[in-house]
């Protein structure tokens, strides 16, 4: 054990704790002291990386003071607010030389004391260990219901599992960090991006306490927007539904037109009027429109995937980072 610790220190093996912050001036000191209390008990070196997601309160000032006192507190500051998902992605990009990374919220809803559990399971060899919420004390019944619908909705479209009530309170091994940083940049939920990589994981459960200070920055609108982005970036299902629908429409309308024409010209069984033929021809043409639209959608998706190397954040300042 002692040899392992000495070796870790000598070869500079470290874990990066990534904390996204947006207007969290009243929570920072507490989260740092809680994290420090926990990591003191773990025989490993840790850096704490705060990603300031364009805060407009005193968050950056407080982080600046902290970083002057503590060299292991590092800060990336965005030029504006890009959202938690981008902040977490920036943290992973930064952590490329670390042995593992841990992500957690700054409002103490992900209790830092549980970092030890993540660490222990990672040490046993799990590439990812994640916490699932058994209970969320800060959440209303409506939000809870919405959360269930959110997971069901996303899972309907994705071909990999986005676990119900899973959180971003996780540890990722170096191989996940590397894979994440080389995979195409995507919009949508950070944890959907991680889950899409397909690594093995171990699940732990926790009960999320109330936010320490302030209110949640995630409005219903933001959540819906992010769910939609997760689906469009990771799933072909909406396009498949369009293609199936338009193919069926095409099939039905062409059969309909065919039978009308046969009856009109040869059988005269239904005594069809010419305008019925014209209307049904219109239907047929509309179905072709849908079919073409479906095909264009598929190409759009391929093109989007090809050009998806885009920046989802911009860094304005760095503290304690070369
Ligand atoms: N956060 C962020 N950018 C945002 C919104 C939130 O970096 O635009 C951070 C926030 O400071 C916190 C974490 O993401 O550390 C979770 O945010 P919040 O508590 O508002 O979300 P909820 O707990 O409701 O999911
Ligand atoms: Mg919260």
């Amino acid at each position: 054990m002692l040899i392992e610790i000495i070796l870790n220190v000598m070869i500079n093996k470290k874990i990066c704790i990534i904390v996204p912050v947006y207007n969290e001036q009243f929570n920072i000191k507490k989260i740092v002291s809680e994290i420090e209390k926990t990591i003191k008990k773990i025989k490993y070196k840790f850096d704490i990386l705060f990603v300031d997601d364009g805060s407009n309160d005193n968050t950056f000032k407080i982080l600046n003071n902290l970083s002057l006192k503590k060299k292991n507190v590092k800060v990336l500051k965005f030029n504006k607010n890009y959202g938690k998902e981008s902040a977490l992605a920036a943290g992973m990009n930064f952590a490329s030389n670390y042995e593992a990374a841990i992500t957690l919220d700054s409002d103490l809803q992900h209790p830092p004391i549980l970092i030890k559990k993540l660490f222990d399971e990672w040490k046993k060899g799990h590439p990812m260990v994640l916490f699932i919420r058994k209970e969320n004390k800060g959440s209303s019944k409506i939000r809870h219901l919405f959360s269930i619908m959110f997971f069901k909705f996303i899972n309907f479209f994705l071909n990999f599992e986005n676990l119900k009530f899973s959180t971003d309170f996780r540890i990722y091994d170096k191989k996940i960090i590397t894979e994440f940083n080389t995979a195409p940049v995507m919009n949508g939920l950070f944890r959907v991006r991680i889950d899409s990589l397909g690594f093995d994981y171990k699940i732990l459960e926790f009960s999320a306490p109330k936010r320490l200070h302030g209110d949640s920055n995630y409005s219903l609108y933001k959540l819906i927007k992010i769910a939609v982005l997760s689906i469009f970036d990771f799933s072909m299902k909406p396009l498949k539904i369009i293609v199936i629908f338009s193919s069926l429409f095409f099939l039905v309308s062409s059969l309909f037109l065919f039978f009308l024409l046969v009856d009109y010209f040869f059988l005269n069984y239904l005594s069809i009027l010419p305008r019925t033929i014209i209307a049904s021809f219109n239907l047929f043409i509309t179905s072709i429109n849908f079919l073409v639209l479906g095909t264009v959608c598929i190409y759009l998706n391929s093109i989007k995937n090809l050009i998806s190397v885009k920046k989802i954040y911009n860094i304005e300042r760095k503290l304690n980072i070369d």
Side-chain angles (χ1 to χ4, degrees), residues 30-46:
K30 180 79 177 158
I31 187 95
V32 172
S33 72
E34 290 293 312
I35 291 176
E36 282 179 340
K37 251 192 253 166
T38 309
I39 58 181
K40 252 185 214 149
K41 295 183 198 139
I42 307 175
K43 307 282 178 270
Y44 216 93
K45 277 175 109 184
F46 287 85

Side-chain angles (χ1 to χ4, degrees), residues 182-249:
T182 46
V185 177
M186 300 278 199
N187 288 301
L189 277 179
F190 172 77
R191 54 178 177 270
V192 171
R193 287 183 70 184
I194 291 284
D195 294 343
S196 75
L197 303 174
F199 283 92
D200 227 4
Y201 53 82
K202 158 98 186 176
I203 296 171
L204 300 175
E205 285 187 340
F206 83 120
S207 155
K210 275 192 179 157
R211 207 173 209 285
L212 187 63
H213 282 284
D215 291 321
S216 164
N217 282 305
Y218 269 91
S219 60
L220 208 65
Y221 166 72
K222 264 192 186 173
L223 280 176
I224 293 173
K225 189 174 147 200
I226 223 145
V228 170
L229 282 176
S230 301
I231 289 160
F232 284 114
D233 262 19
F234 288 94
S235 170
M236 284 282 285
K237 222 169 184 173
L239 298 183
K240 281 186 188 153
I241 293 170
I242 292 176
V243 174
I244 291 170
F245 167 76
S246 49
S247 309
L248 281 178
F249 188 20

Side-chain angles (χ1 to χ4, degrees), residues 24 84 105-110 133 136 143 209-213 215-218:
E24 301 280 9
K84 176 187 173 184
D105 288 358
S106 59
D107 56 0
L108 287 113
Q109 287 203 287
H110 297 161
R133 262 194 317 260
N136 189 352
R143 218 182 142 98
K210 275 192 179 157
R211 207 173 209 285
L212 187 63
H213 282 284
D215 291 321
S216 164
N217 282 305
Y218 269 91

